[in-house]
């Protein structure tokens, strides 16, 4: 059970406080409602590059990290297709330092050429390290445009190509900042060993002078239903053949999200799951298999992926996967199996909520989804799922016409 | 809008919690840290069964991976099915020195989860088809890892820094995967697990019945101490390069054999390591990432194992700037040796480290990890408060002397892996 109190500043900034008396720490988390999906298709990778620039100094503070570290704190951030999230973890008595730093960079960045030049270089190396210089590293760069033809989910947060990052200009940086980094477009969550009154006072002091800016209204073209089987085979210098199968499904706000999550556990969540048993244990066609959902806000994906053993063919593996999926579509799962995946999920949830940082981030995600009131209802949503729900989810999701399959073949 | 920088204060003591020791049968120790904030329970069972004890490559890790692979009565799939049904998770844990299993579950299911675990663990026969499955899985993982420049670099570095003959320096080859026999696993399992002496670490809110269950199990263990003969360490210096065709980045590792946690210089040398490459604002990050943009990340660390310790700097850089990056590392090391650390920078590092102690002590599971560090390294209970004290009182002149002693580039081995 996660407790919280909410209030809003006059400039539109939403603030949420989560008290935890058992920790000496405080977390200050700022979520901006901007992700790679808000980028121009000719300038991709920008939301993520921008996240790097947020550490390059703000109007009155030349360096973000040093004052925070001097107060015993640590910070980091990440960008996804949907959001950009910044967090600071520091001794609770020094929480004001994080307010000072975060508010100054929300007010105005320093916009220095040096910072832009260096971070372009850093992000290009990140592109190489994570996407080009790893076996199977470019999977999502290939898979996204296969699945999405209209929606900006067709590119990864790192961007479509290194060129887009090389071409980023200061004027783009400035307009991106004023468009997306406004108080109305952010959620501030403060957690830890603090009192509500203190958090209110600090929020007012540091964030209320920041002017309201024009509210960004998102206009994203939805992706039409798929209705065709899509396949792509590529050759790479990798040690084993690999398969990625993606199915479109409802997004994070739909019930599909919960059905899909449980279904992924039934298929490949653990060593007693169906695909693991068929592919890794019984037929030994694969050395690994996994199933998961992406949880995108606008549109969801159900993924099945894995590596093939040397003698196995793609045809054999695909046949087994489709057999397992058909079985799920034809027969309701047994009560025992449903209880099993629900029990696993319950354990996962309890352990997941042990960390203050996780709880604080979760609050920010739910608020950004407009679902903060539902944050403690998740377990009961999973609990209410019945065998028929899973069958019906499988029936409307696992069809060939709704599938995109990427095969990675080892170079001979 | 403009505000003055807020004031701040730093912890002078740490909110440490130590577990209670409960002696089980056969001299087996159980450490318990109560945590009644929620129903989560974690039980770690660790043996002296790490890879340094194996006489053939991969035997320790395969034995550990297959501990719950079943027998004639209960098959691996049944074990998994039952554990899953009670919402239990288990994690295989192995390093060079220790190996074991961590069990995770909710309070109300823990007794069942442990019962399934012990039944599987005590009767494991390492069935042939399970070994074949694991061989395929592990080989595939090994082949994928081998494609990574970082992995190639770590392997060559460990060989060079500990010596090829030392168990810490040895690495498996692809051919080793074909040589693993069921008998090897059975023998290792008997000697190091069944006849070995486990230590148990329990975090959560369990009742006396559960402790009794652990005690009953401990009475079945033989609990013989393990004999282990130390192998000599032999470090190279100079520069080794591993060719990885087609790589667009080069992995770099620079380091040397080092002092362990009991050494009087250790705390302040850790401070030097943090300042050099142990946090985001470190000199290596500031110079090589934030000023030059050569890399996505660079860092340094000290690894301490039972019989050896090592300091290393690690990064992956664009292949065209490898030389420049190594030169910058060299420059940073000589700066550390030749120029006293400015007071302001030293304060930032000291304070960051104090905050890091708090972050690492947040929650009972983290507190237990801290205790395991004390326990396995045979350190005094005052270790963390001594550490904080040593950091807070460190002086630039002393640190300069320590840098001179421990951070000479010429004492280090450089390994690169890339095109």
């Amino acid at each position: 059970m996660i407790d919280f109190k909410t209030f809003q500043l006059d400039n539109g900034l939403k603030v949420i406080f989560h008290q935890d008396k058992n920790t000496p720490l405080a977390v200050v988390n700022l979520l901006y409602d901007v992700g790679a999906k808000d980028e121009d298709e000719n300038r991709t990778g920008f939301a993520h590059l921008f996240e790097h620039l947020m550490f390059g100094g703000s109007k009155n503070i030349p360096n973000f990290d040093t004052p925070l570290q001097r107060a015993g704190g640590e910070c980091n951030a990440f960008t996804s297709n949907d959001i950009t999230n910044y967090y600071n973890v520091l001794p609770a008595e020094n929480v004001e330092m994080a307010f000072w730093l975060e508010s100054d960079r929300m007010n105005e960045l320093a916009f220095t050429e040096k910072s832009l030049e260096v971070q372009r270089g850093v992000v290009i190396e990140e592109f190489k390290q994570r996407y080009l210089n790893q076996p199977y590293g470019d999977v999502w760069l290939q898979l996204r445009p296969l699945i999405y033809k209209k929606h900006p989910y067709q590119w990864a947060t790192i961007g479509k190509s290194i060129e887009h990052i090389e071409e980023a200009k200061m004027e783009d940086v400035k307009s991106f900042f004023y468009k997306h980094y406004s108080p109305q477009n952010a959620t501030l969550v403060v957690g830890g060993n603090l009192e509500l009154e203190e958090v209110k006072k600090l929020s007012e002091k540091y964030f209320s002078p920041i002017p309201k800016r024009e509210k960004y209204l998102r206009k994203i073209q939805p992706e039409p239903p798929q209705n065709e089987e899509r396949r792509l085979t590529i050759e790479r210098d990798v040690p084993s053949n690999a398969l990625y199968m993606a199915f479109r499904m409802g997004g994070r706000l739909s019930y599909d999200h919960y059905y899909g999550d449980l279904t992924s556990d039934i298929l490949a969540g653990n060593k007693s799951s169906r695909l693991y048993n068929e592919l890794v244990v019984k037929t030994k066609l694969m050395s690994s298999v996994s199933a998961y959902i992406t949880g995108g806000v606008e549109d969801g994906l159900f993924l099945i992926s894995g590596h093939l053993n040397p003698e196995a063919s793609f045809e054999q593996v695909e046949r087994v996967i489709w057999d397992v999926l058909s079985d799920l579509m034809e027969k309701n799962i047994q009560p025992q199996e449903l209880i099993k995946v629900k029990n696993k999920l319950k354990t996962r949830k309890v352990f997941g909520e042990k960390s203050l940082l996780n709880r604080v981030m979760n609050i920010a995600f739910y608020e950004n989804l407009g679902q903060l009131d539902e944050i403690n209802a998740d377990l009961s949503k999973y609990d209410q799922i019945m065998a028929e729900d899973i069958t019906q989810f499988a029936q409307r999701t696992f069809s060939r016409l709704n599938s995109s399959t990427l095969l990675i073949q080892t170079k001979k | 809008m403009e505000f003055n920088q807020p004031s701040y204060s730093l912890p002078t003591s740490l909110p440490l919690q130590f577990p209670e020791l409960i002696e089980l049968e056969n001299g087996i120790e159980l450490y318990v840290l109560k945590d009644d904030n929620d129903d989560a329970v974690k039980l770690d069972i660790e043996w002296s069964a790490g890879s340094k004890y194996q006489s053939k490559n991969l035997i320790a890790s395969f034995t550990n991976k297959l501990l719950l692979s079943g027998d004639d009565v209960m098959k691996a799939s049944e074990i998994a099915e039952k554990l899953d049904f009670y919402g239990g998770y288990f994690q295989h844990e192995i390093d060079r020195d220790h190996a074991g299993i961590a069990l995770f579950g909710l309070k109300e299911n823990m007794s069942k989860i442990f019962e399934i675990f012990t039944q599987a663990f005590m009767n494991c026969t390492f069935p042939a088809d399970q070994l074949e499955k694991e061989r395929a899985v592990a080989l595939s993982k090994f082949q994928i890892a081998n494609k990574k420049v970082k992995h190639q670099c770590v392997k060559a570095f460990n060989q060079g820094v500990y010596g090829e003959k030392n168990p810490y320096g040895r690495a498996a080859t692809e051919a080793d995967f074909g040589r693993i026999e069921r008998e090897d696993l059975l023998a290792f399992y008997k000697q190091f697990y069944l006849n070995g002496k486990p230590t148990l670490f329990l975090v959560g809110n369990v009742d006396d019945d559960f402790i009794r269950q652990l005690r009953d199990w401990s009475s079945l263990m033989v609990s013989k101490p393990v004999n282990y003969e130390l192998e000599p360490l032999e470090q190279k210096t100079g520069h080794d390069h591993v060719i990885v065709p087609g790589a667009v980045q080069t992995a770099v590792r620079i380091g040397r054999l080092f002092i362990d946690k009991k050494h009087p210089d250790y705390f302040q040398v850790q401070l030097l390591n943090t300042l050099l490459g142990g946090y985001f604002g470190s000199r290596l990050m500031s110079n090589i990432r934030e000023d030059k943009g050569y890399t996505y990340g660079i860092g340094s660390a000290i690894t301490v194992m039972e019989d050896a310790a090592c300091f290393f700097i690690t990064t992956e850089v664009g292949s065209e700037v490898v030389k420049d990056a190594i030169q910058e590392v060299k420059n940073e090391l000589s700066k550390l040796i030749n120029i006293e650390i400015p007071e302001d920078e030293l304060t930032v590092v000291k304070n960051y480290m104090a905050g890091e102690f708090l972050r690492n002590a947040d929650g009972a599971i983290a507190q237990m990890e801290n205790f395991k560090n004390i326990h396995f390294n045979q350190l005094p209970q005052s270790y963390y408060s001594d550490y904080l004290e040593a950091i807070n009182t460190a002086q630039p002149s002393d640190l300069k002397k320590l840098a001179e002693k421990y951070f000479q580039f010429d004492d280090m081995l450089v390994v690169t892996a890339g095109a």
Side-chain angles (χ1 to χ4, degrees):
Chain A
M1 175 76 185
I2 300 176
D3 294 319
F4 54 86
K5 298 265 186 318
T6 63
F7 56 97
Q8 192 164 21
L9 304 184
D10 291 340
N11 58 14
L13 180 70
K14 288 162 288 199
V15 189
I16 304 161
F17 171 55
H18 165 65
Q19 191 176 54
D20 180 350
K21 288 287 199 181
N22 291 315
T23 173
L25 298 168
V27 174
V28 173
N29 187 91
L30 253 171
L31 182 152
Y32 290 93
D33 187 8
V34 55
K37 68 183 176 190
D38 297 304
E39 293 162 352
D40 179 335
E41 62 177 329
N42 300 310
R43 283 173 197 182
T44 62
F46 210 87
H48 168 252
L49 172 65
F50 196 87
E51 173 216 311
H52 280 244
L53 297 173
M54 283 285 279
F55 293 91
S58 52
K59 194 177 178 201
N60 304 301
I61 307 170
N63 178 312
F64 185 91
D65 296 274
T66 311
L68 186 72
Q69 287 155 354
R70 199 180 282 118
E74 188 172 57
C75 61
N76 212 334
F78 58 84
T79 309
S80 74
N81 290 74
D82 292 316
I83 57 158
T84 313
N85 191 61
Y86 300 83
Y87 57 92
N88 308 273
V89 185
L90 71 174
E93 60 269 32
N94 298 344
V95 70
E96 189 168 355
M97 193 65 83
F99 276 90
W100 179 63
L101 289 161
E102 287 290 2
S103 63
D104 201 59
R105 68 177 175 182
M106 184 189 282
N107 185 49
E108 197 175 327
L109 275 191
F111 302 115
T112 67
E113 282 293 343
K114 165 85 181 170
S115 168
L116 177 58
E117 188 198 319
V118 166
Q119 292 309 319
R120 263 196 304 246
V122 170
V123 171
I124 288 169
E125 289 307 319
E126 180 179 359
F127 201 123
K128 291 187 204 160
Q129 182 171 326
R130 296 173 58 174
Y131 298 85
L132 304 181
N133 212 32
Q134 299 290 334
Y136 316 99
D138 66 338
V139 161
W140 280 99
L141 303 182
Q142 301 291 339
L143 203 49
R144 287 188 172 277
L146 186 68
I147 303 163
Y148 293 107
K149 302 298 175 189
K150 296 266 189 292
H151 195 278
Y153 278 174
Q154 67 188 266
W155 56 83
T157 48
I158 194 75
K160 285 181 187 171
S161 70
I162 285 183
E163 287 72 39
H164 280 190
I165 297 159
E166 280 168 346
E167 288 160 8
K169 307 253 184 345
M170 187 52 86
E171 65 216 58
D172 305 332
V173 173
K174 283 191 179 164
S175 66
F176 195 88
F177 178 78
Y178 289 109
K179 191 169 168 188
H180 297 292
Y181 280 73
S182 65
Q184 303 102 297
N185 214 31
T187 302
L188 170 66
V189 184
V190 182
N193 206 336
L194 303 163
E195 297 298 330
L196 177 64
E197 281 316 304
E198 189 185 358
V199 173
K200 272 189 175 163
K201 216 178 77 197
L202 291 171
S203 304
E204 284 288 347
K205 175 177 172 186
Y206 287 97
F207 283 94
S208 61
I210 300 171
K212 254 186 178 176
R213 292 195 267 264
E214 199 184 321
K215 173 82 183 149
Y216 165 67
L217 295 173
R218 183 170 281 132
K219 285 184 225 97
I220 289 180
Q221 202 176 357
E223 183 73 16
Q226 189 168 320
N227 280 324
E228 59 176 6
E229 183 177 6
R230 295 184 188 149
R231 301 182 69 85
L232 174 67
T233 304
I234 55 175
E235 265 198 5
R236 289 289 182 271
D237 179 20
V238 289
S240 53
N241 290 339
L243 165 141
Y244 300 82
M245 225 180 221
F247 300 90
R248 301 263 311 275
M249 58 173 266
R252 179 63 187 82
L253 292 167
S254 69
Y255 259 90
D256 257 17
H257 177 83
Y258 299 90
Y259 303 144
D261 198 16
L262 273 195
T263 305
S264 70
D265 283 345
I266 294 166
L267 287 176
N270 44 62
K271 291 197 168 170
S272 71
S273 60
R274 294 184 177 198
L275 286 172
Y276 182 84
N277 261 327
E278 289 299 324
L279 289 161
V280 181
V281 180
K282 271 192 213 157
T283 60
K284 297 193 173 55
L285 292 170
M286 297 188 101
S287 64
S288 68
V289 62
S290 51
Y292 57 96
I293 56 170
T294 54
V297 174
E298 318 232 334
D299 195 67
L301 289 177
F302 191 103
L303 261 294
I304 295 172
S305 67
H307 293 275
L308 277 67
N309 277 329
E311 302 79 24
S313 72
F314 284 119
E315 294 73 35
Q316 289 172 303
V317 167
E318 286 190 62
R319 202 175 311 127
V320 174
I321 293 177
W322 281 108
D323 283 349
V324 169
L325 294 179
S326 302
D327 195 51
L328 204 58
M329 291 186 259
E330 283 156 17
K331 287 192 289 263
N332 281 346
I333 71 165
Q334 293 298 307
Q336 173 98 356
E337 192 177 3
L338 189 59
I339 294 170
K340 179 184 80 177
V341 286
K342 286 181 179 176
N343 281 348
K344 286 284 271 202
L345 201 123
K346 200 172 160 197
T347 312
R348 197 167 73 203
K349 187 103 183 144
V350 172
F351 275 90
E353 283 182 5
K354 281 186 90 72
S355 140
L356 171 66
L357 182 59
N358 280 358
R359 274 176 272 141
V360 165
M361 280 187 192
N362 257 333
I363 292 173
F365 295 152
Y366 276 82
E367 171 59 33
N368 190 55
L369 291 169
Q371 294 233 315
L372 186 55
D373 296 337
E374 303 278 300
I375 193 166
N376 292 310
D378 258 5
L379 269 186
S380 71
K381 281 183 188 166
Y382 283 110
D383 246 353
Q384 284 159 16
I385 294 175
M386 297 189 293
E388 300 81 59
D389 297 323
I390 302 290
T391 316
Q392 285 161 16
F393 169 81
Q395 285 165 354
R396 64 175 179 270
T397 308
F398 301 130
S399 75
R400 291 198 186 255
L401 297 183
N402 188 40
S403 72
S404 302
T405 305
L406 171 69
L407 305 179
I408 302 188
Q409 199 134 38
T410 59
K411 239 180 214 162
K412 292 285 171 334
Chain B
M1 72 178 236
E2 198 179 344
F3 296 100
N4 292 330
Q5 180 172 331
S7 60
Y8 57 87
S9 60
L10 282 149
T12 43
S13 68
L14 298 170
L16 289 179
Q17 282 174 272
F18 290 96
E20 177 198 355
L21 167 63
I22 297 176
E23 294 203 24
L24 304 179
E25 305 304 317
N26 293 317
I28 292 170
E29 293 177 339
L30 162 68
Y31 292 94
V32 185
L33 203 53
K34 281 262 177 196
D35 177 9
D36 46 20
N37 289 324
D38 54 47
D39 291 337
V41 178
K42 181 183 180 203
L43 173 65
D44 271 313
I45 311 173
E46 302 212 28
W47 284 264
S48 290
S51 60
K52 74 176 182 190
Y53 297 102
Q54 67 196 9
S55 46
K56 216 166 135 183
N57 279 343
L58 299 171
I59 299 305
S61 68
F62 269 68
T63 306
N64 183 259
K65 272 273 181 235
L66 291 170
L67 280 177
L68 303 183
S69 63
D71 59 71
D72 310 330
V73 185
M74 192 161 65
K75 286 186 162 172
S77 54
E78 269 174 77
I79 296 165
E81 183 75 39
K82 285 184 177 167
L83 275 171
D84 286 340
F85 184 78
Y86 290 103
Y89 285 83
F90 57 94
Q91 236 170 45
H92 296 276
E93 293 178 333
I94 179 159
D95 59 30
R96 305 269 176 176
D97 301 316
H98 302 102
I101 292 230
L103 297 169
F104 302 83
L106 299 184
K107 189 178 142 188
E108 66 261 30
N109 299 325
M110 243 3 237
S111 169
K112 277 286 175 199
I113 291 169
F114 187 72
E115 190 186 310
I116 299 158
F117 160 75
T118 46
Q119 231 176 59
F121 171 79
M122 297 304 285
N123 301 306
C124 184
T125 57
F126 297 87
D129 71 318
Q130 289 291 315
L131 170 58
E132 288 325 307
K133 185 214 78 188
E134 187 54 35
R135 207 194 296 272
V137 169
L139 180 60
S140 169
K141 277 191 194 144
F142 175 84
Q143 288 168 333
I144 292 168
N146 252 346
K147 284 275 171 193
K148 300 181 183 177
V149 287
K150 184 171 179 183
H151 184 83
Q152 293 285 350
C153 191
V154 171
K155 219 159 60 174
F157 179 82
N158 286 345
Q159 266 175 21
V161 90
Y162 300 113
E164 278 171 50
K165 290 187 194 120
N166 192 283
Y168 291 151
R170 248 177 281 162
T173 63
E174 198 162 325
D176 290 329
F177 286 83
R179 299 194 188 109
I180 305 161
E181 310 277 348
R182 248 190 89 217
E183 288 66 36
D184 299 327
L185 306 181
L186 276 166
F188 194 88
Y189 160 69
K190 282 204 178 108
Q191 185 179 354
F192 295 98
Y193 286 93
L194 285 187
N195 290 352
K197 183 178 172 184
T199 309
L200 285 70
F201 304 91
L202 176 66
V203 180
N205 191 13
V206 296
D207 54 20
D208 291 344
D209 283 344
F210 187 67
I211 305 287
R212 221 165 291 134
Q213 204 180 344
L214 297 178
R215 183 178 294 284
D216 289 346
W217 176 67
S218 71
S219 69
L220 305 172
M221 304 297 290
V222 176
S223 210
K224 255 202 305 214
V226 171
N227 288 320
Y228 178 70
E229 247 175 72
L230 280 186
E231 304 273 353
L233 293 157
E234 205 180 1
Q235 189 209 310
K236 284 205 285 190
T237 54
H239 184 165
D240 281 354
H241 181 69
V242 186
I243 296 172
V244 184
V248 295
Q249 277 191 325
T250 298
V252 182
R253 210 163 250 245
I254 301 171
R256 56 168 295 185
L257 288 176
F258 223 56
I259 54 173
D260 71 16
K261 294 178 183 176
K262 289 196 208 74
H263 195 287
D265 292 340
Y266 181 79
F267 298 137
Q268 301 210 359
V269 166
Q270 259 298 1
L271 193 157
L272 280 167
N273 165 61
T274 306
L275 179 129
L276 179 71
Y279 74 122
F280 195 88
S282 72
R283 289 184 175 186
L284 289 173
M285 276 295 264
S286 307
N287 179 351
I288 294 167
R289 170 177 149 138
E290 292 296 299
D291 187 56
K292 308 283 187 316
Y294 288 162
T295 179
Y296 177 49
I298 179 162
S300 67
I302 301 169
T303 333
V304 179
M305 296 176 292
E306 272 182 354
D307 316 317
C310 165
F311 161 81
F312 63 91
I313 294 164
T314 173
T315 186
E316 279 155 80
V317 299
S319 294
E320 65 288 353
V321 294
V322 180
K323 264 195 192 145
D324 300 323
I326 294 176
Q327 185 55 48
E328 288 304 330
V329 168
K330 231 173 175 172
N331 297 347
E332 289 301 339
L333 290 174
S334 39
K335 220 170 101 190
L336 209 56
I337 290 165
N338 296 316
I339 307 167
E340 277 193 7
I341 300 164
E343 278 293 348
D344 186 57
E345 186 187 7
L346 189 57
T347 310
V348 173
V349 179
K350 286 179 175 181
N351 294 359
Y352 168 79
M353 287 180 85
E356 197 63 5
F357 281 121
L358 287 188
R359 281 185 287 277
N360 289 339
D362 193 30
I365 290 181
Q367 295 270 7
M368 186 61 105
E369 287 307 310
N370 287 337
F371 173 73
K372 277 159 81 175
N373 180 35
I374 287 178
H375 177 80
F376 285 124
N377 288 291
Q378 299 168 322
L379 303 167
Q381 280 225 339
S382 61
Y383 175 77
Y384 286 101
S385 40
D386 296 347
Y387 199 161
L388 187 63
E389 166 84 21
I391 299 296
N392 282 336
T393 54
Q395 296 299 321
S397 53
D398 299 336
L399 291 167
K400 186 166 167 288
K401 277 184 215 141
L402 289 174
E404 213 178 313
K405 192 167 164 194
Y406 294 106
F407 292 93
Q408 298 284 353
F409 185 81
D410 290 343
D411 293 339
M412 302 203 187
L413 167 70
V414 179
V415 176
T416 49

